[in-house]
Amino acid sequence: AQSVTQPDIHITVSEGASLELRCNYSYGATPYLFWYVQSPGQGLQLLLKYFSGDTLVQGIKGFEAEFKRSQSSFNLRKPSVHWSDAAEYFCAVGAGDDKIIFGKGTRLHILP
Amino acid sequence: DTGVSQDPRHKITKRGQNVTFRCDPISEHNRLYWYRQTLGQGPEFLTYFQNEAQLEKSRLLSDRFSAERPKGSFSTLEIQRTEQGDSAMYLCASSPNRALEQYFGPGTRLTVT
């Protein structure tokens, strides 16, 4: 069965510092992978997605993610975070039946 | 703006009451999904529609839950005889055809007292 693991429940970084959020997935075939962001009390916004091709994908708001098949990982990165990036981030994997399985999320805190 | 909309945004109800939520997807999106999100968890799939046909239901969707999409446009999710464990955020998403790129609404937060 498909699953997603986000090992870090909370991450705190200083404004201007670099960020990496970890994501590991379990899926038998080539996965469809996503990162979503959720601000408090809001729905989810798609940051980026990987379906095939270049394993380094660029998203909105300056985020990028790298698909590493050998490590079953799809980590999210940003070179310099802004206070407005404080939110909850969800990694997700899509299966052939069009259903998306989400991880439990990582809450990002930004120090001024 | 023609994003996904949900109504109401918040609902407080007493245990045992019935509630109904509405979702209006992005126009021309054939697929509509319902998810439930509890505190500290990611969204969990409940069910989805292709046009008016309900194609899959999760085991999370007990017989107290029913969803409809009668004309292939908006959808409703009804919970009968609510229980405190039903307290959660209910999220709706839509996507075009078989695309996996889903666009989410703001959610309906349900509190059962």
Side-chain angles (χ1 to χ4, degrees), chain B residues 58-108:
Chain B
S58 163
R59 289 177 296 175
L60 294 174
L61 215 64
S62 75
D63 56 6
R64 296 185 297 106
F65 288 69
S66 62
E68 295 183 342
R69 194 182 183 197
K71 297 182 180 179
S73 56
F74 74 91
S75 175
T76 58
L77 177 68
E78 181 183 16
I79 308 174
Q80 296 182 326
R81 305 181 303 281
T82 52
E83 301 173 356
Q84 288 189 321
D86 297 331
S87 295
M89 175 80 88
Y90 290 85
L91 294 165
C92 175
S94 68
S95 71
N97 298 316
R98 291 179 58 81
L100 284 171
E101 187 168 333
Q102 298 183 15
Y103 298 84
F104 282 80
T108 294

Side-chain angles (χ1 to χ4, degrees), chain A residues 9 32 34 36 38 41-46 49 51 88 90 94-105, chain B residues 9 31 33 35 37 40-45 48 56 89 91 97-107 109:
Chain A
I9 298 173
Y32 300 135
F34 309 84
Y36 283 85
Q38 186 178 35
Q42 301 299 312
L44 283 79
Q45 181 182 22
L46 180 66
K49 61 185 184 289
F51 285 177
E88 188 142 25
F90 292 95
D97 58 1
D98 296 338
K99 189 167 53 183
I100 292 181
I101 306 299
F102 287 86
K104 293 188 176 182
Chain B
R9 295 290 305 277
R31 294 247 167 155
Y33 304 79
Y35 293 84
Q37 185 179 22
Q41 301 293 318
E44 297 172 293
F45 170 81
Y48 84 94
E56 186 173 348
M89 175 80 88
L91 294 165
N97 298 316
R98 291 179 58 81
L100 284 171
E101 187 168 333
Q102 298 183 15
Y103 298 84
F104 282 80
R109 181 166 296 283

Side-chain angles (χ1 to χ4, degrees), chain A residues 16-60:
Chain A
S18 63
L19 170 71
E20 182 169 27
L21 301 183
R22 296 183 292 164
C23 172
N24 292 96
Y25 67 89
S26 173
Y27 184 61
T30 299
Y32 300 135
L33 295 162
F34 309 84
W35 275 99
Y36 283 85
V37 61
Q38 186 178 35
S39 297
Q42 301 299 312
L44 283 79
Q45 181 182 22
L46 180 66
L47 286 175
L48 47 79
K49 61 185 184 289
Y50 171 78
F51 285 177
S52 64
D54 193 345
T55 57
L56 184 63
V57 294
Q58 303 297 320
I60 62 171

Side-chain angles (χ1 to χ4, degrees), chain A residues 65-106:
Chain A
E66 186 171 11
F67 170 57
K68 293 185 177 180
R69 183 187 301 275
S70 62
Q71 298 177 18
S72 298
S73 70
F74 188 57
N75 294 351
L76 181 72
R77 301 193 293 249
K78 187 170 184 177
S80 175
V81 298
H82 186 262
W83 63 266
S84 61
D85 293 325
E88 188 142 25
Y89 291 79
F90 292 95
C91 181
V93 62
D97 58 1
D98 296 338
K99 189 167 53 183
I100 292 181
I101 306 299
F102 287 86
K104 293 188 176 182
T106 297

